Structures are given as structure tokens and as C-alpha cells.
Amino acid sequence: MPQTGNIIDGKGMAAQIRSELKATVQTLSHQGTMPGLAVVLVGEDPASQLYVRGKIRACEEVGIYSEQIYLTSDVLEEEVLAVIDRLNDDQKIHGILVQLPLPVQIDPDRIIERIDPAKDVDGFHPQNMGRLVIGQHGFLPCTPHGIMEMLKRSDISITGKHVVVVGRSNIVGKPISFLLQREHATVTMCHSRTRELAHYTKQADILIAAAGKAHLLGRDHISPNTVVIDVGMNRLQGRKVVGDVDFEAVRELASHITPVPGGVGPMTIAMLLYNTVEAAKQRCKE
Ligand code: GUN
């Protein structure tokens, strides 16, 4: 009998990955390399502050050295670029992350392109994104990488499956579509202008909801025994955080489902730590 209401424990899986990384970090440290991550936060957006705190705390747990650079929301683009230049040259730093979104006066593309691709642990630099598209080795963006790891650790096969991705962002939708194709999935992309969304989502073996719209997908969008991965982190007025999927409405229908919070979010942070450790390992090899 097929399983229903099977919740994928992203929080637990991420804790497992952190403990695996902690052992690797200890080995690297004994060899004289302590992985280091710099996190740049521009402005006072409360959600971004919360995410950055979570990333720093995770570094501390795993033994990764971290630096936080806080810049005020009126900072000039040239000043942010100067910070990136300094971090690119800093031997203690193996990974650089600039928390998005940035204030309007700053062009995120210019900032991302200034990061040394070898320190681009977010995987957002055009060089790393391009490598992903053509199947070359490079840093993978953390959320899509975390989703792939969740599927793998849940023994969910991808080859030949029909995966429907809702959302075409550079951070999630686009990169996950290439990672899935690399693993031999058939991928359908849907987005905010897709007509009759349910027509597509109902055909999914695996549904990835990354549209950034609270409870966009409910019972009418999902066929029985679908694997549902919810990337949404939408803050409701009462401050409760909910996903793009109406969890309670579909959990019995889904063969597997990720909760929000406690699903994809912790995995994203775990893969950021993974990329930082990889960056440190690469430098050791040079
Ligand atoms: N803002 C929302 N998600 C992300 C992410 O994965 N990386 C960065 N740098 N900023 C984000």
C-alpha cells in the first residue's frame, strides 16, 4: 500500500548533514585549514536578519569561522563592491554570501559578478550558474542542492519522473530544473502567467512549489501519491510562516511532503555550510 502523509524531516536531515560536516571541519582544521564564511547583510530587513543569524549559528555549530559585515541601507554600491574586493583577497575567507534582496540603489548582478567564483558559495555567479546549465562541476545554489539531497536521502528516485516546478526564479526554479534534468527527470516549468496551473501540477510525480505565494497550491492542484516539496516561506500578517502549499489540505494526499518551517529551509543552510567546506577543500588542493 502506498504511503500517505509521509513528512520529510528537513530539520532532522539538516542536523545529520551538519554533524557529518563537523567531522570534516575537524579533519581540515587538524590539517591547518579552518573553513571561513563571510556573510554580508545590507539594511535592516527583519527576515534577512533572521536568516543571517541562522547561517552564523549553523557555522558556529559546525566549527566554521564566520564574519558578519553589516552595512546600512543607504550604503553606496561602490562601498559594497569594495567590501567584496577585500573579502576576495582575505585568506581566512573561503566563502562569501551577500544576503538578498539588496536596497534599490544596488544592482545585485554587479555585486554577484564581483564575487570570486571560487568563493561563490551561494552558486549565484554567472560562471557557476553556467557550469550548472552545461553540466560542469561548480558550486550549486543551496536551496536546489538541498532539495536534491532531501530527495536522495528519502530514497525518492528521479530518473524518468515528471517533475513540475512552480516558479522560475534564479535562486530556485531555474537551477532546480537543470539539476533535475541532470538526474534524468522530465521537467515542466510553471510560473505566475501559467494558465490552468492545476492542469500541469496534477500531472506531477514530484511537485516543487517555489512561487513565493502563500497557499497557492491546495487539494485541487495535487494528485494522490505526489511527492510535494514546498520551498515557500511566506509570512502571514499574524507573523506565522507558511509555505506555497496548503499543508493540512494536501498532507494525506501526498506520498511525501515537506513541512514549513522545518523542511527545505534548514537544508538550504546545511548546503551553504557544505559549499563553504568544499571551497576550503578546493583551496587546500591548490
Ligand atoms: N535570500 C533568499 N534566499 C537567499 C539565498 O539562498 N542566498 C542569499 N544570498 N540570499 C537569499
mmCIF file of all heavy atoms in Angstrom, residues 122-141:
data_model
loop_
_atom_site.group_PDB
_atom_site.id
_atom_site.type_symbol
_atom_site.label_atom_id
_atom_site.label_comp_id
_atom_site.label_asym_id
_atom_site.label_seq_id
_atom_site.Cartn_x
_atom_site.Cartn_y
_atom_site.Cartn_z
ATOM 1 N N ASP A 122 27.069 30.659 -2.650
ATOM 2 C CA ASP A 122 25.642 30.720 -2.986
ATOM 3 C C ASP A 122 25.376 30.096 -4.357
ATOM 4 O O ASP A 122 24.235 29.788 -4.692
ATOM 5 C CB ASP A 122 25.186 32.186 -3.047
ATOM 6 C CG ASP A 122 24.278 32.577 -1.889
ATOM 7 O OD1 ASP A 122 23.634 31.682 -1.327
ATOM 8 O OD2 ASP A 122 24.226 33.777 -1.576
ATOM 9 N N GLY A 123 26.432 29.977 -5.174
ATOM 10 C CA GLY A 123 26.279 29.432 -6.528
ATOM 11 C C GLY A 123 25.521 30.353 -7.472
ATOM 12 O O GLY A 123 24.941 29.904 -8.453
ATOM 13 N N PHE A 124 25.533 31.664 -7.185
ATOM 14 C CA PHE A 124 24.753 32.622 -7.994
ATOM 15 C C PHE A 124 25.575 33.294 -9.093
ATOM 16 O O PHE A 124 25.035 33.963 -9.965
ATOM 17 C CB PHE A 124 24.167 33.736 -7.109
ATOM 18 C CG PHE A 124 23.109 33.281 -6.133
ATOM 19 C CD1 PHE A 124 22.719 34.105 -5.082
ATOM 20 C CD2 PHE A 124 22.490 32.049 -6.263
ATOM 21 C CE1 PHE A 124 21.744 33.708 -4.189
ATOM 22 C CE2 PHE A 124 21.512 31.638 -5.366
ATOM 23 C CZ PHE A 124 21.138 32.472 -4.325
ATOM 24 N N HIS A 125 26.912 33.193 -9.032
ATOM 25 C CA HIS A 125 27.750 33.841 -10.044
ATOM 26 C C HIS A 125 27.458 33.226 -11.415
ATOM 27 O O HIS A 125 27.272 32.007 -11.518
ATOM 28 C CB HIS A 125 29.232 33.649 -9.681
ATOM 29 C CG HIS A 125 30.155 34.479 -10.502
ATOM 30 N ND1 HIS A 125 30.445 34.181 -11.822
ATOM 31 C CD2 HIS A 125 30.845 35.606 -10.201
ATOM 32 C CE1 HIS A 125 31.270 35.097 -12.289
ATOM 33 N NE2 HIS A 125 31.527 35.981 -11.330
ATOM 34 N N PRO A 126 27.404 34.072 -12.474
ATOM 35 C CA PRO A 126 27.102 33.528 -13.810
ATOM 36 C C PRO A 126 28.002 32.352 -14.198
ATOM 37 O O PRO A 126 27.565 31.438 -14.911
ATOM 38 C CB PRO A 126 27.318 34.716 -14.742
ATOM 39 C CG PRO A 126 27.123 35.913 -13.886
ATOM 40 C CD PRO A 126 27.556 35.541 -12.486
ATOM 41 N N GLN A 127 29.252 32.358 -13.726
ATOM 42 C CA GLN A 127 30.155 31.243 -14.060
ATOM 43 C C GLN A 127 29.662 29.926 -13.445
ATOM 44 O O GLN A 127 29.637 28.891 -14.110
ATOM 45 C CB GLN A 127 31.573 31.555 -13.567
ATOM 46 C CG GLN A 127 32.558 30.476 -13.953
ATOM 47 C CD GLN A 127 33.995 30.891 -13.653
ATOM 48 O OE1 GLN A 127 34.420 31.989 -14.004
ATOM 49 N NE2 GLN A 127 34.735 30.025 -12.989
ATOM 50 N N ASN A 128 29.240 29.983 -12.176
ATOM 51 C CA ASN A 128 28.735 28.757 -11.531
ATOM 52 C C ASN A 128 27.367 28.359 -12.095
ATOM 53 O O ASN A 128 27.087 27.174 -12.283
ATOM 54 C CB ASN A 128 28.674 28.950 -10.011
ATOM 55 C CG ASN A 128 30.051 28.858 -9.380
ATOM 56 O OD1 ASN A 128 30.831 27.955 -9.708
ATOM 57 N ND2 ASN A 128 30.375 29.803 -8.508
ATOM 58 N N MET A 129 26.526 29.356 -12.352
ATOM 59 C CA MET A 129 25.207 29.076 -12.937
ATOM 60 C C MET A 129 25.382 28.456 -14.324
ATOM 61 O O MET A 129 24.703 27.483 -14.671
ATOM 62 C CB MET A 129 24.473 30.408 -13.044
ATOM 63 C CG MET A 129 23.043 30.506 -12.663
ATOM 64 S SD MET A 129 22.347 29.437 -11.440
ATOM 65 C CE MET A 129 21.846 30.599 -10.242
ATOM 66 N N GLY A 130 26.304 29.013 -15.118
ATOM 67 C CA GLY A 130 26.571 28.499 -16.466
ATOM 68 C C GLY A 130 27.092 27.073 -16.425
ATOM 69 O O GLY A 130 26.690 26.218 -17.220
ATOM 70 N N ARG A 131 27.968 26.815 -15.457
ATOM 71 C CA ARG A 131 28.502 25.455 -15.305
ATOM 72 C C ARG A 131 27.385 24.469 -15.005
ATOM 73 O O ARG A 131 27.372 23.351 -15.526
ATOM 74 C CB ARG A 131 29.530 25.419 -14.174
ATOM 75 C CG ARG A 131 30.869 26.010 -14.565
ATOM 76 C CD ARG A 131 31.803 26.025 -13.366
ATOM 77 N NE ARG A 131 33.104 26.551 -13.733
ATOM 78 C CZ ARG A 131 34.106 25.786 -14.167
ATOM 79 N NH1 ARG A 131 33.963 24.484 -14.247
ATOM 80 N NH2 ARG A 131 35.244 26.325 -14.499
ATOM 81 N N LEU A 132 26.457 24.893 -14.153
ATOM 82 C CA LEU A 132 25.322 24.022 -13.815
ATOM 83 C C LEU A 132 24.512 23.696 -15.075
ATOM 84 O O LEU A 132 24.146 22.544 -15.318
ATOM 85 C CB LEU A 132 24.442 24.730 -12.757
ATOM 86 C CG LEU A 132 23.041 24.176 -12.504
ATOM 87 C CD1 LEU A 132 23.086 22.725 -12.056
ATOM 88 C CD2 LEU A 132 22.321 25.021 -11.463
ATOM 89 N N VAL A 133 24.270 24.726 -15.887
ATOM 90 C CA VAL A 133 23.436 24.536 -17.086
ATOM 91 C C VAL A 133 24.079 23.552 -18.062
ATOM 92 O O VAL A 133 23.400 22.707 -18.651
ATOM 93 C CB VAL A 133 23.163 25.903 -17.774
ATOM 94 C CG1 VAL A 133 22.473 25.712 -19.118
ATOM 95 C CG2 VAL A 133 22.330 26.792 -16.867
ATOM 96 N N ILE A 134 25.431 23.628 -18.208
ATOM 97 C CA ILE A 134 26.081 22.731 -19.180
ATOM 98 C C ILE A 134 26.664 21.484 -18.529
ATOM 99 O O ILE A 134 27.401 20.728 -19.155
ATOM 100 C CB ILE A 134 27.142 23.477 -20.028
ATOM 101 C CG1 ILE A 134 28.227 24.084 -19.144
ATOM 102 C CG2 ILE A 134 26.487 24.524 -20.910
ATOM 103 C CD1 ILE A 134 29.340 24.755 -19.938
ATOM 104 N N GLY A 135 26.338 21.264 -17.255
ATOM 105 C CA GLY A 135 26.703 20.004 -16.592
ATOM 106 C C GLY A 135 28.144 19.925 -16.128
ATOM 107 O O GLY A 135 28.662 18.839 -15.923
ATOM 108 N N GLN A 136 28.787 21.084 -15.956
ATOM 109 C CA GLN A 136 30.159 21.086 -15.417
ATOM 110 C C GLN A 136 30.130 21.244 -13.907
ATOM 111 O O GLN A 136 29.155 21.732 -13.335
ATOM 112 C CB GLN A 136 30.956 22.240 -16.027
ATOM 113 C CG GLN A 136 31.323 22.016 -17.475
ATOM 114 C CD GLN A 136 32.185 23.154 -18.003
ATOM 115 O OE1 GLN A 136 32.484 24.114 -17.312
ATOM 116 N NE2 GLN A 136 32.559 23.046 -19.266
ATOM 117 N N HIS A 137 31.251 20.872 -13.276
ATOM 118 C CA HIS A 137 31.346 20.954 -11.830
ATOM 119 C C HIS A 137 31.476 22.414 -11.388
ATOM 120 O O HIS A 137 32.227 23.176 -11.968
ATOM 121 C CB HIS A 137 32.572 20.146 -11.380
ATOM 122 C CG HIS A 137 32.627 19.948 -9.905
ATOM 123 N ND1 HIS A 137 31.823 19.036 -9.254
ATOM 124 C CD2 HIS A 137 33.359 20.558 -8.952
ATOM 125 C CE1 HIS A 137 32.080 19.093 -7.959
ATOM 126 N NE2 HIS A 137 33.006 20.008 -7.743
ATOM 127 N N GLY A 138 30.736 22.793 -10.354
ATOM 128 C CA GLY A 138 30.826 24.150 -9.788
ATOM 129 C C GLY A 138 29.991 24.198 -8.525
ATOM 130 O O GLY A 138 29.401 23.187 -8.134
ATOM 131 N N PHE A 139 29.941 25.358 -7.872
ATOM 132 C CA PHE A 139 29.089 25.470 -6.679
ATOM 133 C C PHE A 139 27.625 25.457 -7.089
ATOM 134 O O PHE A 139 27.227 26.182 -8.007
ATOM 135 C CB PHE A 139 29.386 26.764 -5.921
ATOM 136 C CG PHE A 139 30.699 26.731 -5.208
ATOM 137 C CD1 PHE A 139 31.703 27.612 -5.540
ATOM 138 C CD2 PHE A 139 30.922 25.799 -4.198
ATOM 139 C CE1 PHE A 139 32.927 27.569 -4.884
ATOM 140 C CE2 PHE A 139 32.134 25.752 -3.535
ATOM 141 C CZ PHE A 139 33.138 26.631 -3.881
ATOM 142 N N LEU A 140 26.835 24.645 -6.401
ATOM 143 C CA LEU A 140 25.404 24.571 -6.685
ATOM 144 C C LEU A 140 24.661 25.507 -5.743
ATOM 145 O O LEU A 140 24.994 25.574 -4.554
ATOM 146 C CB LEU A 140 24.894 23.142 -6.475
ATOM 147 C CG LEU A 140 25.523 22.064 -7.355
ATOM 148 C CD1 LEU A 140 24.982 20.687 -6.977
ATOM 149 C CD2 LEU A 140 25.261 22.354 -8.826
ATOM 150 N N PRO A 141 23.640 26.216 -6.238
ATOM 151 C CA PRO A 141 22.848 27.062 -5.346
ATOM 152 C C PRO A 141 22.242 26.211 -4.215
ATOM 153 O O PRO A 141 21.838 25.064 -4.433
ATOM 154 C CB PRO A 141 21.755 27.627 -6.261
ATOM 155 C CG PRO A 141 22.264 27.461 -7.636
ATOM 156 C CD PRO A 141 23.168 26.273 -7.629
#
